[in-house]
Amino acid sequence: MEQRYLTLTLGEDLYAFAISAVREILDMTEITRIPQTPPYMRGVVNVRGIAVPVIDLRSKFNLGQVEQTLQTRIIIVEINDGHTTSVMGALADSVKEVLDIDTSSIAPPPAMGGVTAADYIKGISRQGERFILIVNVDKVFSSEEIVDLSRVMESAAASPNAHEDSAPAG
């Protein structure tokens, strides 16, 4: 059985998201930083009036940071934890194409001694001479992180008002 995947690059490596999780692909746009977030959390982007959190995938995978180029893209994904659906952005060096990959050709991720491969990579497939790492979108954008980020965003939104109240009269 074949499944469709959106392929993207992080550095020289090829990764893939199940197309069913992808809502849209945006050109690089201004990202507003949110204080007190992890280094891989780049901030939020405005998607039709909604603040959507954006994660730097290279930073999340300990591969450095995505540098802004003409090919840099923000992939908007939907994460469903069974109770709610959340929308997140994934910053990637580039988006390549949609591929049909035979699910029987996807091998489990190799044991590398760390938890990252097992947690974030669902499997590995080949395209010609290149490997494609199939990303486990639900694990990369875990519901705990989404909940933590919503709390940070709520407190950041509330803090300017609190700051104004405590400002000396002058």
Side-chain angles (χ1 to χ4, degrees):
M1 184 171 100
E2 288 191 338
Q3 190 169 359
R4 299 188 85 167
Y5 290 90
L6 175 71
T7 58
L8 56 112
T9 61
L10 299 178
E12 298 297 315
D13 299 319
L14 202 55
Y15 290 80
F17 284 1
I19 200 75
S20 59
V22 177
R23 180 189 271 188
E24 62 186 295
I25 301 164
L26 305 176
D27 288 338
M28 186 61 183
T29 186
E30 183 180 337
I31 299 174
T32 304
R33 295 278 312 159
I34 301 293
Q36 300 177 356
T37 55
Y40 59 81
M41 184 60 61
R42 287 303 263 302
V44 295
V45 293
N46 182 351
V47 179
R48 287 180 288 291
I50 298 169
V52 175
V54 176
I55 287 178
D56 182 327
L57 286 177
R58 282 180 66 177
S59 182
K60 177 82 174 180
F61 294 165
N62 292 320
L63 300 171
Q65 281 194 330
V66 171
E67 300 298 326
Q68 185 172 344
T69 69
L70 291 174
Q71 281 74 43
T72 306
R73 297 290 181 265
I74 301 171
I75 304 157
I76 305 298
V77 295
E78 288 184 351
I79 299 94
N80 190 334
D81 68 1
H83 305 292
T84 60
T85 300
S86 301
V87 178
M88 298 281 288
L91 196 58
D93 290 313
S94 70
V95 169
K96 290 296 183 190
E97 61 186 327
V98 175
L99 290 177
D100 292 317
I101 299 175
D102 188 338
T103 53
S104 66
S105 75
I106 299 174
M112 303 291 274
V115 293
T116 303
D119 281 353
Y120 298 151
I121 305 301
K122 217 182 234 183
I124 190 166
S125 185
R126 288 185 75 101
Q127 180 191 30
E129 294 298 311
R130 294 188 74 178
F131 284 112
I132 301 174
L133 300 170
I134 310 295
V135 176
N136 186 335
V137 174
D138 293 330
K139 293 283 186 178
V140 171
F141 304 99
S142 72
S143 53
E144 270 181 30
E145 283 178 333
I146 294 166
V147 168
D148 289 347
L149 180 63
S150 344
R151 287 189 192 124
V152 169
M153 287 176 62
E154 286 168 12
S155 73
S159 67
N161 296 339
H163 181 70
E164 288 171 13
D165 293 344
S166 63

